[in-house]
């Protein structure tokens, strides 16, 4: 059973050397760094669970449909765990987390073409954070501080207190109690960071989806394009379902969903996109426990630059 103290210990183990920069956050910098650490450590349990593939009881089949995409998902989660550099315009850059304040416009507006603070504060549903397309920057919006850092954990209490209910093969109710936290908010943005323009977004076809049933509905079509893998919230939901030990999720191969490509052959392993060079997490495969997973020393050889 995981406790808050356990999360902190894991965080210390993982983030021995910072591989990112935090800017313009003033006194909020320690809180932002803590949230980043929580996003990183949120990958630990899913990296262990993903070995089960579609046999996982925590929603892998609902979100990814097929073992064909195991290595893709592993690679993405490993990058979020260790936050390696990302390739931008032919150059490797450290991930950058910048707090969007009122005076930030002059520094970034000319390069981005918009004012980050304005984007954070306008509209009926302004973002709590966002990844700036074609950059290594994740902007932290003022409303980010209103989110809880992570789901509350009560020692000795069941972990599934925030788990969803499935009726008639669909999630029912609101997903906010499961995912509306700083840790998962940053997981969402880090998927955008590492997938860059291959991630689904508002201007892609199909567009990015956020609703959990819409995530289940996304098809695991043949390479080179799989919306299930490229939609950031599919990883957010899978991560949350694992960490909260939730065991109910819709079957993507039963009504009202359908998967015409993979059908009942969802366990078949097919080739991945030609531009994805995927490597195992270690020479002997992923360790069977958290200690050996965190003991990996040569991370450079385990990750492929985006």
């Amino acid at each position: 059973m995981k406790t808050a103290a356990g999360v902190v210990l894991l965080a210390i183990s993982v983030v021995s050397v910072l591989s990112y920069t935090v800017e313009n956050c003033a006194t909020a910098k320690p809180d932002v760094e803590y949230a980043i650490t929580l996003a990183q450590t949120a990958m630990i349990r899913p990296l262990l669970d993903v070995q089960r593939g579609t046999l996982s009881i925590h929603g892998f089949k609902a979100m990814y449909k097929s073992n064909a995409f195991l290595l893709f998902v592993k690679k993405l989660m490993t990058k979020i765990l260790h936050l390696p550099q990302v390739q931008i315009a032919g150059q490797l850059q450290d991930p950058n987390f910048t707090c969007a304040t009122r005076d930030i416009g002059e520094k970034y507006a000319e390069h981005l073409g918009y004012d980050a603070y304005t984007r954070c504060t306008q509209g009926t549903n302004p973002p709590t954070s966002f990844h700036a397309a074609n950059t290594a920057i994740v902007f932290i919006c003022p409303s980010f501080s209103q989110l809880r850092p992570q789901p509350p954990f009560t020692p000795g209490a069941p972990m599934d207190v925030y788990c969803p209910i499935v009726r008639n093969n669909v999630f029912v109710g609101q997903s906010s109690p499961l995912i509306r936290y700083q840790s998962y908010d940053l997981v969402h943005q880090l998927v955008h960071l590492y997938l860059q323009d291959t991630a689904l977004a508002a201007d892609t076809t199909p567009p990015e989806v956020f609703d959990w049933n819409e995530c289940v509905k996304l098809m695991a079509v043949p390479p080179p394009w799989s919306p299930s893998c490229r939609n950031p919230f599919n990883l957010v939901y899978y991560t949350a379902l694992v960490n909260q030990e939730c065991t109910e999720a819709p079957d993507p191969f039963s009504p009202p969903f359908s998967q015409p490509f993979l059908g009942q052959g969802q366990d078949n392993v097919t080739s991945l996109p030609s531009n994805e060079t995927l490597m195992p997490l270690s020479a002997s495969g992923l360790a069977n426990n958290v200690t050996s997973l965190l003991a990996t020393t040569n991370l450079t050889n385990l990750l492929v630059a985006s």
Side-chain angles (χ1 to χ4, degrees), residues 44-58:
I44 294 173
R45 292 167 63 98
L47 272 168
L48 299 173
D49 180 78
V50 77
Q51 301 303 305
R52 302 182 177 95
T54 55
L55 296 180
S56 165
I57 62 173
H58 301 303

Side-chain angles (χ1 to χ4, degrees), residues 110 112 147 198 200 220 245:
E110 182 176 354
L112 297 176
L147 300 175
T198 65
L200 298 190
E245 297 185 355

Side-chain angles (χ1 to χ4, degrees), residues 52-82:
R52 302 182 177 95
T54 55
L55 296 180
S56 165
I57 62 173
H58 301 303
F60 180 89
K61 181 178 176 181
M63 293 300 151
Y64 294 108
K65 290 77 179 178
S66 171
N67 289 339
F69 306 108
L70 275 175
L71 289 180
F72 184 99
V73 177
K74 286 181 188 178
K75 174 188 174 183
L76 181 56
M77 290 194 296
T78 304
K79 286 189 172 186
I80 294 174
L81 175 64
H82 295 299

Side-chain angles (χ1 to χ4, degrees), residues 31-302:
D31 293 335
V32 172
E33 290 177 340
Y34 180 60
I36 296 168
T37 297
L38 292 177
Q40 292 177 271
T41 56
M43 295 296 105
I44 294 173
R45 292 167 63 98
L47 272 168
L48 299 173
D49 180 78
V50 77
Q51 301 303 305
R52 302 182 177 95
T54 55
L55 296 180
S56 165
I57 62 173
H58 301 303
F60 180 89
K61 181 178 176 181
M63 293 300 151
Y64 294 108
K65 290 77 179 178
S66 171
N67 289 339
F69 306 108
L70 275 175
L71 289 180
F72 184 99
V73 177
K74 286 181 188 178
K75 174 188 174 183
L76 181 56
M77 290 194 296
T78 304
K79 286 189 172 186
I80 294 174
L81 175 64
H82 295 299
L83 295 185
Q85 292 181 318
V86 60
Q87 192 166 3
I88 305 295
Q91 295 184 337
L92 288 175
Q93 298 182 19
D94 289 333
N96 174 278
F97 300 85
T98 297
C99 291
T101 56
R102 290 182 181 275
D103 59 352
I104 201 173
E106 296 180 1
K107 182 176 181 179
Y108 294 95
E110 182 176 354
H111 173 62
L112 297 176
Y114 58 84
D115 180 81
Y117 178 78
T118 299
R119 183 169 175 178
C120 278
T121 55
Q122 286 189 344
T124 57
N125 188 27
T128 47
S129 64
F130 70 92
H131 168 250
N134 303 313
T135 76
I137 303 172
V138 172
F139 283 106
I140 307 298
C141 296
S143 58
F144 184 80
S145 62
Q146 298 174 16
L147 300 175
R148 286 186 175 185
Q150 63 177 343
F153 299 111
T154 303
M159 298 264 311
D160 62 358
V161 64
Y162 293 108
C163 287
I165 297 173
V166 175
R167 292 176 181 165
N168 298 320
N169 201 41
V170 295
F171 289 119
V172 296
Q174 299 295 318
S175 62
S176 296
L178 180 69
I179 63 166
R180 190 71 171 160
Y181 305 99
Q182 291 179 354
S183 56
Y184 298 141
D185 199 62
L186 290 183
V187 168
H188 173 212
Q189 305 310 332
L190 289 169
V191 175
H192 278 290
L193 173 71
Y194 285 111
L195 294 187
Q196 288 291 313
D197 59 4
T198 65
L200 298 190
D203 57 353
T204 60
T205 302
E208 180 179 7
V209 297
F210 306 94
D211 177 81
W212 44 13
N213 287 309
E214 290 298 314
C215 289
V216 177
K217 184 179 179 180
L218 285 174
M219 292 190 297
V221 298
W225 187 253
S226 175
S228 287
C229 288
R230 308 294 181 172
N231 190 65
F233 259 83
N234 283 55
L235 186 65
V236 172
Y237 285 120
Y238 174 58
T239 298
L241 290 169
V242 174
N243 285 324
Q244 289 298 113
E245 297 185 355
C246 301
T247 58
E248 285 194 66
D251 179 355
F253 298 95
S254 298
F257 307 105
S258 65
Q259 296 294 328
F261 163 59
L262 292 173
Q264 292 306 312
Q266 64 265 36
D267 292 325
N268 294 336
V269 177
T270 62
S271 61
L272 286 161
S274 57
N275 63 342
E276 292 288 357
T277 304
L278 302 178
M279 302 177 66
L281 294 177
S282 68
S284 58
L286 186 64
N288 292 325
N289 57 70
V290 171
T291 302
S292 54
L293 174 63
L294 297 179
T296 303
T297 54
N298 190 0
L299 301 181
T300 303
N301 293 333
L302 303 181

